[in-house]
Structures are given as structure tokens and as C-alpha cells.
Amino acid sequence: MEEKHKLKHDDILTQIKEVFKKKLKFEFVSEINLSKPGGGDIDLICIDNETLFYIEVKSGQTDITKQFLSFLAKRKSDIHFLKNKCIQTKNKKWNNNNIKCLFFIPNIRETTENTLRDKYLKHEKDVYIFRNLN
């Protein structure tokens, strides 16, 4: 990821982290960009009242559909990692049936957001797309 893009990405993640930590007062809010063995990362994890919020941010505007499909494909293995191997989260308590996956795509057009939702989320009850924190 190019440096300018990474800075923008991490700035958005930090803002989201602060909302969950300070405004919503969640029990647990991870650091941003949790490293995974073998490469890759998980943008942010928040846990409250036995609900896990698995958060991904895409700050670019290219290949959003491809990035969203990648998010959908990797979320189960990421959650398995968080539950069983991640030092920060493996001892945290959350209900496996109460996981919310949040995909933030700031500055994307509403039509693109609606297309993703209509085309890929018909059978996904716990995946949400957001363009902003409002």
C-alpha cells in the first residue's frame, strides 16, 4: 500500500476506533491493523456485550467490488484467527452467533453502495456497508 493511501486508511481507522472507544464506550477496542501470521491484517475489532464487530476500511475508490468480495471471503478465517490464535482477542468473550461485519467505504457514491448491498448481501444478515460514521 502506498504511503499516502496508508496514512489516509489509518486516519479513518483511528477515527472509527475513537468512536467505538470513547463515544460508544465499548468494553474492548483493538489497536488498528492487527497483524496476522503469514501476512495481512485485520483493520479493527471491537467487542461489547458479547458482540464482536469485525471492521474493514477501504479508503480507495478503485475495484471496490473486488475488495468487498475479498472482505466477504476472508472474514470467517479472520474471525477463526481472532477466536483461537490472536493474543489480543482469544480470551475475550463474544457469542459466535453475534458477529457483525462492518465494511466502511468512505467517499463512495451511494449508487455503488446500493449496488453492493443489493447484489451481494441478500443472504448476509450480519454484514453492513457504511460510507460514513453518521
Side-chain angles (χ1 to χ4, degrees), residues 7-8 12 15 19 28 34 47 51 57 60-61 63-64 72 75 81-82 84 86-87 97 102-103 114 121 128 131:
L7 289 172
K8 180 180 176 183
I12 294 166
Q15 290 175 40
V19 167
F28 173 79
L34 292 171
I47 301 171
T51 300
V57 170
Q61 294 186 5
D63 291 327
I64 291 299
L72 291 175
R75 66 193 156 126
F81 164 75
L82 292 167
N84 298 296
C86 180
I87 294 170
N97 296 319
L102 311 180
F103 189 77
N114 291 338
L121 295 183
Y128 305 91
R131 288 182 294 130

Side-chain angles (χ1 to χ4, degrees), residues 115-131:
T115 299
L116 290 175
R117 187 175 290 112
D118 294 344
K119 192 169 184 178
Y120 300 108
L121 295 183
K122 289 179 183 174
H123 305 290
E124 300 286 348
K125 62 179 181 146
D126 294 328
V127 178
Y128 305 91
I129 300 172
F130 295 94
R131 288 182 294 130

Side-chain angles (χ1 to χ4, degrees), residues 33-77:
N33 303 319
L34 292 171
S35 295
K36 291 177 14 186
D41 67 0
I42 298 171
D43 285 352
L44 185 66
I45 297 299
C46 304
I47 301 171
D48 198 54
N49 294 324
E50 297 190 12
T51 300
L52 170 76
F53 290 82
Y54 167 78
I55 300 167
E56 181 80 15
V57 170
K58 296 299 180 190
S59 57
Q61 294 186 5
T62 58
D63 291 327
I64 291 299
T65 300
K66 183 178 176 184
Q67 292 177 19
F68 185 64
L69 292 174
S70 174
F71 164 75
L72 291 175
K74 74 177 193 120
R75 66 193 156 126
K76 290 183 181 176
S77 66

Side-chain angles (χ1 to χ4, degrees), residues 99-110:
I99 297 171
K100 308 299 180 200
C101 301
L102 311 180
F103 189 77
F104 282 91
I105 46 175
N107 305 317
I108 203 72
R109 286 187 243 140
E110 187 175 353

